Amino acid sequence: MKSMMLKWYAKGQGALGNEKGAQAIEWIALAGVVIAVFGAVIAYFDSDPTLVGESIGDTLSNIIKKLDGN
């Protein structure tokens, strides 16, 4: 296990050493954050999936009303 982690660490350090590798790691991290947020939303609305659509619709309606000045 320790040798595997050391190999991953060495690969990660090599990837961070150049611009292309660092950018790839940033995109992977961003994807991980997006997946975590979607997972949290799904877990929160797990009891009734229709609440997700209603909640998004209500939020968008409120934003549009504020933009219109109502």
Side-chain angles (χ1 to χ4, degrees):
M1 178 72 154
K2 186 176 180 181
S3 64
M4 181 179 63
M5 294 299 287
L6 287 172
K7 287 179 187 178
W8 285 1
Y9 175 77
K11 285 184 181 183
Q13 290 299 319
L16 288 174
N18 62 19
E19 185 76 23
K20 203 174 194 182
Q23 186 179 12
I25 291 174
E26 289 173 359
W27 279 108
I28 291 169
L30 180 62
V33 170
V34 169
I35 290 170
V37 168
F38 281 142
V41 168
I42 289 170
Y44 183 76
F45 291 109
D46 193 32
S47 61
D48 189 8
T50 60
L51 289 177
V52 176
E54 292 175 9
S55 177
I56 292 171
D58 291 342
T59 302
L60 290 175
S61 295
N62 290 338
I63 291 171
I64 292 170
K65 286 179 185 176
K66 288 180 182 178
L67 290 175
D68 285 341
N70 293 335

